[in-house]
Amino acid sequence: SMQCFPGLVLALSSLLGVLALLQLSLHLRVPSRYGKHEERLCRPRGRLPARCAWFLQELPSFLVPALLLALRSPPRLEPLGCRLLCCLFCWHYFYRTFIYPFFTRGRPFPLQLLFFGMLFCIYNGFLQGYYLIYCAEYPNDWCTDIRFTSGLLLFLLGMGINIHSDLLLRQLRKPGEVTYKIPQGGLFTYVSGANYFGEIVEWFGFAIATWSLPAFAFAFFTLCCIGPRAYHHHRYYLKTFTDYPKSRKALIPFVF
Ligand code: NDX
């Protein structure tokens, strides 16, 4: 049966860090080609409806850790921290897989990116799940540790911001519409990438709560992946809407 190989965790986390830097270098100037940054040239054949695409892409991030958690034998009952933290991760991806896609009004998603996105979700789902289920050791009072409590608080706050902002974005369109409008309300009052800001806060909260290398690597990846994308969204809005609110920042309220 499976056991913890610390070398494997270190190797996979380091590679995730490398992927983050690769992502950053590839997409600092040119955004990932989906959504509002997709090239017109893309043939419709190379795309899948947003619903199917987001469902398929994010499913492994839920399934892989959930299966690891369920199938571990003997079941790991102690300490509570490991299961709780693994459940937090699964909880986010339950939302992202089973709820978010069914309400999205996004345009069709490029198959090629879907393929890489899925690979990424398998990789990361395995790393986070494997670490928490097979490797992590927490003292029995971890649930009252300041790292756990403050991290959990940040996670919940970030998740709230992310879900609320995705809802505001969705309400900009009627079903079937694919046009872009100026997002209003919530944290969009302060930043163009409110949903991304929430997601980044969420994963740094998770990293602090788990106090683990894999989770910090993933938070860093998230920052490198959607941080630049928030900046590209911001530039797109400034270019497209002459009446775009001048005081609005790209990602971090009042700062950047
Ligand atoms: N999926 C994470 N790199 C990504 C897919 C692509 O979950 O190979 C990263 C994720 C993947 C990427 C993923 C990882 C890196 C990959 C890349 C493909 C290539 C790349 C694998 C896995 C790669 C290397 C080589 C380095 C490994 O029509 P539309 O779609 O634009 O509509 C949008 C709508 N909307 C508006 N509607 C009206 N008016 C407006 N002004 C609007 N603005 C937007 O709202 C959408 O329907 C919806 C949201 O759009 P947008 O653009 O704000 O968010 P989006 O980027 O689609 O993300 C959706 C949610 C969001 O909450 C975000 O926080 C979360 O997913 N997310 C997204 C990406 C990554 C991620 C989280 C993470 O890293 N944690």
Side-chain angles (χ1 to χ4, degrees):
S1 74
M2 241 197 285
Q3 60 189 86
C4 178
F5 296 104
L8 180 66
V9 172
L10 182 64
L12 293 181
S13 304
S14 310
L15 183 58
L16 188 53
V18 172
L19 283 180
L21 293 175
L22 183 67
Q23 179 72 21
L24 194 65
S25 67
L26 287 177
H27 295 295
L28 203 56
R29 280 155 172 249
V30 218
S32 284
R33 296 289 179 202
Y34 68 91
K36 55 173 75 72
H37 306 294
E38 196 179 342
E39 277 160 319
R40 283 296 93 90
L41 313 166
C42 188
R43 305 139 294 143
R45 271 181 59 222
R47 295 192 254 176
L48 214 62
R51 280 175 195 212
C52 313
W54 280 92
F55 175 80
L56 290 174
Q57 176 179 262
E58 309 290 320
L59 182 63
S61 278
F62 171 76
L63 220 51
V64 174
L67 284 177
L68 285 174
L69 187 64
L71 298 181
R72 170 168 173 150
S73 64
R76 187 172 188 176
L77 299 174
E78 294 292 335
L80 177 67
C82 300
R83 276 177 304 148
L84 215 67
L85 289 164
C86 191
C87 287
L88 278 189
F89 186 84
C90 291
W91 184 28
H92 170 92
Y93 282 103
F94 181 86
Y95 160 74
R96 183 68 75 222
T97 305
F98 296 102
I99 300 175
Y100 176 79
F102 293 94
F103 293 104
T104 182
R105 289 171 186 169
R107 40 171 82 180
F109 194 87
L111 266 175
Q112 204 185 355
L113 294 191
L114 166 72
F115 176 75
F116 287 115
M118 238 178 120
L119 282 185
F120 178 82
C121 287
I122 295 171
Y123 183 93
N124 189 49
F126 176 79
L127 173 59
Q128 307 300 330
Y130 175 74
Y131 174 79
L132 286 172
I133 309 289
Y134 287 94
C135 298
E137 309 261 3
Y138 296 106
N140 284 324
D141 59 353
W142 183 248
C143 295
T144 55
D145 190 289
I146 181 79
R147 283 164 290 183
F148 180 87
T149 48
S150 62
L152 179 65
L153 213 69
L154 276 181
F155 178 89
L156 295 174
L157 181 74
M159 191 171 187
I161 294 173
N162 179 253
I163 292 178
H164 180 235
S165 308
D166 276 340
L167 183 95
L168 292 174
L169 283 177
R170 189 169 74 235
Q171 288 170 344
L172 291 173
R173 288 177 179 167
K174 295 187 187 71
E177 239 182 349
V178 285
T179 51
Y180 291 106
K181 295 166 192 156
I182 301 181
Q184 305 283 2
L187 267 196
F188 283 112
T189 313
Y190 308 103
V191 289
S192 300
N195 52 341
Y196 294 155
F197 175 73
E199 182 109 15
I200 290 168
V201 168
E202 192 178 346
W203 293 120
F204 273 100
F206 182 73
I208 294 167
T210 59
W211 208 251
S212 72
L213 186 63
F216 273 104
F218 177 47
F220 179 61
F221 180 90
T222 300
L223 181 68
C224 293
C225 183
I226 58 185
R229 201 167 159 81
Y231 166 75
H232 290 297
H233 278 13
H234 190 64
R235 288 221 329 209
Y236 171 92
Y237 288 137
L238 288 173
K239 209 173 64 191
T240 311
F241 304 107
T242 48
D243 56 340
Y244 199 69
K246 290 285 172 290
S247 63
R248 204 177 283 190
K249 302 287 183 192
L251 180 65
I252 303 167
F254 312 113
V255 180
F256 172 74

